Each structure stands twice: as C-alpha cells, then as structure tokens.
Amino acid sequence: MTINNNFSPIIQRFMMNEINAVINKYSNIESEKLKFVEELLSIMEDGTFKQELLQDFDKTLKLATEVGENIVDKFKIEVYLWMKEHFDSNISINELIRYIEEVEEEGYVEVKEGIIIYKKDIDLTYLAKEKLETMLSDERFVDKLLDKDSLIEYWMNGTSKDQVIRELINGIEVEELLDFDSKFIIENEHGEKYMYAEIEC
C-alpha cells in the first residue's frame, strides 16, 4: 500500500497503524455477518438512506445482524428503524414483519394496548366498535364522548349501548372520535401511508 510521500515518516507510521487496525477489524468479522451486510445493502436503493448506512459500518452491521436471514425489503427496514426509534428499541424484526403482514391483511394492527399501526384512510369501524365497547363503561370517557343533552336523550329513549356506538361511529371520523395521536411512518410503493397512533383507552 502506497502512502503519500508528502507526509513525514512519523505521520506515515500513524497512518499505517490506522490502516492496519481497520484491516484487522474487518478481517475478524465472521463471514456470515459480512454476508448479511452485503445482502442488506444490495436491497437498498441508491439514496440518502443507503449513503447513511455506508458511512457507519458498525450501525450497518448491527442492523444487518438483527435482520439476519429474514426476507425483508427497503420498506420493512425503514418501518423497523422508525419503530425502534419512536416506539420500542427492543422490537425484533420478526415482530415487525408480523405487524406489517397484519396491516396488509386487516388495514391495522394493535401492537400494544392503545397503540396501533394502520393505513391512512382505511376503514377502522371494527376497531372503533371494540374500543367504544370498553370506553362507554368508563365514566370519564362517557363524559368525553357524549354531551349532557345526548346522555339525557339516550336515557329517556332507552337507547342501547350498541345503538349509541353505531351513532357515534356514523357521526364522525374514527380518528377524530377516538382522538388519535397519529404520526406518519412511511409511504409504501402503492402510495399508501402507514401511520402510528396512540389511543387513550
């Protein structure tokens, strides 16, 4: 390896020591882990995110090792990193893959009590029914969801809880009704927006 002769012999020795340290570092990494890094980078499109990974080998190695032999794409990796940063740093790639599969099938998934991932503009009626069933048994939510006049009217007419739930769902968007604290995660290749929401329930 040739070193620029413009540097003094002492500086050249420092440079060679650093170069050798880097060579030793990469030589001592298990070949399987290096393979994971190569596979991870091969599925990433050229762009800012890939450049970030190429700038920090330790971060990329950690991510590649976590992904391992799971079949993932750029979309899953970006959702995974978002969830680790904003929701749960201990979430596993296997959990994330299951969540995404359920969102694809059902439109949403509850990853924890009161926390969901969903597709923007998806029909969340079933989720609303489930949540309202519990919420209308709690006085503080009843006060929040229904004004005094509505309560009196429902009581006088003997309106059932199911009827109240139907009226609530038909009268307002679910996101507003359940007072979602929503955050945008990412848009998939079909232009569908993945959202993260916390629901007080």
Side-chain angles (χ1 to χ4, degrees):
M1 187 174 292
T2 305
I3 299 284
N4 191 325
N5 288 326
N6 292 331
F7 295 108
S8 71
I10 291 173
I11 296 302
Q12 286 184 32
R13 286 187 67 181
F14 278 112
M15 292 171 71
M16 282 306 300
N17 286 340
E18 289 193 24
I19 290 167
N20 286 328
V22 170
I23 291 170
N24 289 334
K25 172 184 174 180
Y26 288 100
S27 299
N28 290 326
I29 296 171
E30 297 169 27
S31 59
E32 185 180 32
K33 289 184 177 179
L34 289 175
K35 180 185 167 192
F36 289 156
V37 169
E38 289 169 357
E39 288 174 350
L40 173 65
L41 289 171
S42 72
I43 64 172
M44 304 303 292
E45 300 165 6
D46 287 331
T48 307
F49 185 50
K50 187 170 185 175
Q51 287 307 311
E52 284 177 18
L53 292 176
L54 287 168
Q55 294 296 318
D56 189 338
F57 180 78
D58 290 333
K59 175 183 175 182
T60 304
L61 176 62
K62 184 174 184 293
L63 175 59
T65 304
E66 288 171 359
V67 170
E69 295 178 348
N70 287 287
I71 298 170
V72 296
D73 54 18
K74 179 176 178 283
F75 173 75
K76 288 188 177 75
I77 288 168
E78 292 197 7
V79 176
Y80 176 58
L81 291 174
W82 192 97
M83 291 293 284
K84 283 179 79 69
E85 182 180 346
H86 296 91
F87 168 61
D88 179 3
S89 60
N90 295 316
I91 188 172
S92 72
I93 191 72
N94 289 323
E95 289 175 305
L96 188 277
I97 290 169
R98 284 199 306 274
Y99 294 152
I100 289 178
E101 286 173 353
E102 193 161 341
V103 173
E104 287 301 316
E105 289 175 16
E106 305 293 335
Y108 73 93
V109 61
E110 189 162 12
V111 299
K112 191 178 176 182
E113 181 67 29
I115 294 175
I116 67 166
I117 302 172
Y118 69 103
K119 287 182 185 178
K120 183 75 175 167
D121 301 322
I122 204 75
D123 183 4
L124 295 170
T125 303
Y126 183 75
L127 171 71
K129 284 179 180 174
E130 273 192 324
K131 293 298 176 189
L132 289 170
E133 196 60 52
T134 305
M135 292 167 82
L136 289 175
S137 300
D138 187 322
E139 187 177 331
R140 67 193 171 101
F141 286 119
V142 171
D143 288 342
K144 189 176 179 180
L145 292 165
L146 302 169
D147 59 50
K148 189 175 180 181
D149 290 340
S150 296
L151 277 171
I152 292 169
E153 185 180 335
Y154 287 142
W155 178 74
M156 289 178 69
N157 294 331
T159 309
S160 69
K161 187 197 275 190
D162 285 344
Q163 288 174 299
V164 173
I165 289 172
R166 279 198 299 274
E167 286 188 21
L168 285 169
I169 291 170
N170 290 333
I172 191 170
E173 288 289 327
V174 170
E175 287 169 296
E176 188 179 342
L177 176 64
L178 297 181
D179 194 21
F180 279 17
D181 178 14
S182 296
K183 295 181 180 68
F184 171 72
I185 301 176
I186 194 172
E187 191 172 303
N188 67 16
E189 59 183 5
H190 306 296
E192 298 169 316
K193 293 179 179 177
Y194 268 59
M195 308 294 293
Y196 166 97
E198 295 181 13
I199 310 166
E200 189 183 354
C201 59

